[in-house]
Amino acid sequence: MSGQSLLVPGELSPVRSVPGNIRRPEYVGKPAPTPYTGPEVQTAETIEAMRIAGRIAAQAMEEAAKHITPGVTTDELDRVAHEYMCDHGAYPSTLGYRGFPKSLCSSLNEVICHGIPDSTVLKDGDIVNLDVTAYIGGVHGDNNATYLCGEVDEESRLLVERTREALNRAIKAVRPGRQINVIGRVIESYAKRFGYGVVRDFTGHGINSSFHSGLIIPHYDSPHATTVIEPGMTFTIEPMLTLGTHEYDMWEDGWTVVTKDRKRTAQFEHTLVVTDSGAEILTLP
């Protein structure tokens, strides 16, 4: 792996504004969201609304990713995604969620998840995860992907490629009647072939009118994930694989999660709805 310097926090820009006519999630301006008490199986109307939210989130992420190049700041990527979502009538779900100050998460190199966009400048050889969620029509669509910035070393490139493949394999394993733990079993068994760590403390989740419904989707083979998958369930799968340990440290900002050994990590995510025969991806551009 390239011997790049470890990340340090940058400077935050002012909070971006959202047009007043765009509907806000209920948690905006509050310390925490109201706990979700509804069903994990959604109506056809909710699922259709989630297709719209998911498509906007995927397109906003795609638009921001076009700007990933050495010399660009993570704050600029945030601006691009923020403006895309607002221009399409969607609220950036992360903005104001439990106090998060930005409209996407930007997690570079050793950052597992929840990196805050700031003045950090992308460098040649970085790997960059963008996590974008859009709220529109009363529902959320959540996705993320890891991108290569410039010329990336082979070890990092393979980590990114195989993390994407882990997500694809997990999606194919989704079937009504199976338990949720089949998802983590598939991811963990694939990751172990390459000696990768599988992050355990940050998971996929149920999603609908709630950003995080309470349903947990582990990415390792958890004996506790015995919930049976049903048609109409909506949730994310978002494996986080590492070149070293799955253990982590948290920055003082209370959000940025980095690998304890500071080795690189990659992540991919889609929002899904369970169908009668498998899963449909709702976060396609």
Side-chain angles (χ1 to χ4, degrees), residues 47-116:
I47 293 165
E48 182 55 36
M50 290 182 67
R51 285 192 183 96
I52 295 169
R55 184 168 62 248
I56 291 173
Q59 290 169 338
M61 183 174 73
E62 195 174 64
E63 196 63 31
K66 292 177 184 176
H67 296 261
I68 292 176
T69 190
V72 171
T73 65
T74 54
D75 187 66
E76 174 64 9
L77 304 179
D78 182 79
R79 182 194 66 79
V80 172
H82 177 94
E83 292 183 359
Y84 187 95
M85 285 184 273
C86 292
D87 287 348
H88 290 79
Y91 185 91
S93 300
T94 60
L95 184 61
Y97 179 79
R98 296 184 182 272
F100 192 84
K102 292 296 175 180
S103 298
L104 58 71
C105 298
S106 55
S107 302
L108 278 58
N109 301 336
E110 70 268 24
V111 179
I112 295 171
C113 58
H114 304 159
I116 301 174

Side-chain angles (χ1 to χ4, degrees), residues 58-214:
Q59 290 169 338
M61 183 174 73
E62 195 174 64
E63 196 63 31
K66 292 177 184 176
H67 296 261
I68 292 176
T69 190
V72 171
T73 65
T74 54
D75 187 66
E76 174 64 9
L77 304 179
D78 182 79
R79 182 194 66 79
V80 172
H82 177 94
E83 292 183 359
Y84 187 95
M85 285 184 273
C86 292
D87 287 348
H88 290 79
Y91 185 91
S93 300
T94 60
L95 184 61
Y97 179 79
R98 296 184 182 272
F100 192 84
K102 292 296 175 180
S103 298
L104 58 71
C105 298
S106 55
S107 302
L108 278 58
N109 301 336
E110 70 268 24
V111 179
I112 295 171
C113 58
H114 304 159
I116 301 174
D118 59 18
S119 61
T120 298
V121 176
L122 300 184
K123 297 177 182 177
D124 186 62
D126 284 343
I127 59 173
V128 184
N129 180 273
L130 300 181
D131 193 336
V132 179
T133 310
Y135 178 79
I136 188 172
V139 298
H140 301 268
D142 184 6
N143 67 161
N144 78 55
T146 304
Y147 300 91
L148 310 182
C149 181
E151 293 296 319
V152 174
D153 66 271
E154 182 72 357
E155 186 180 39
S156 298
R157 188 190 65 77
L158 285 172
L159 173 68
V160 171
E161 180 182 300
R162 290 163 177 168
T163 306
R164 181 191 292 111
E165 176 63 15
L167 172 60
N168 292 339
R169 289 176 180 232
I171 291 171
K172 290 175 183 175
V174 173
R175 291 284 188 283
R178 292 179 174 176
Q179 294 182 343
I180 289 290
N181 57 18
V182 70
I183 295 168
R185 188 176 308 131
V186 166
I187 293 168
E188 187 172 41
S189 63
Y190 179 70
K192 278 185 172 179
R193 287 167 49 180
F194 310 104
Y196 294 154
V198 181
V199 172
R200 303 168 80 88
D201 293 276
F202 300 89
T203 68
H205 53 89
I207 184 170
N208 38 67
S209 60
S210 173
F211 195 169
H212 300 88
S213 72

Side-chain angles (χ1 to χ4, degrees), residues 33-45:
T34 302
Y36 179 72
T37 57
E40 298 298 347
V41 172
Q42 304 304 310
T43 66
E45 291 76 17

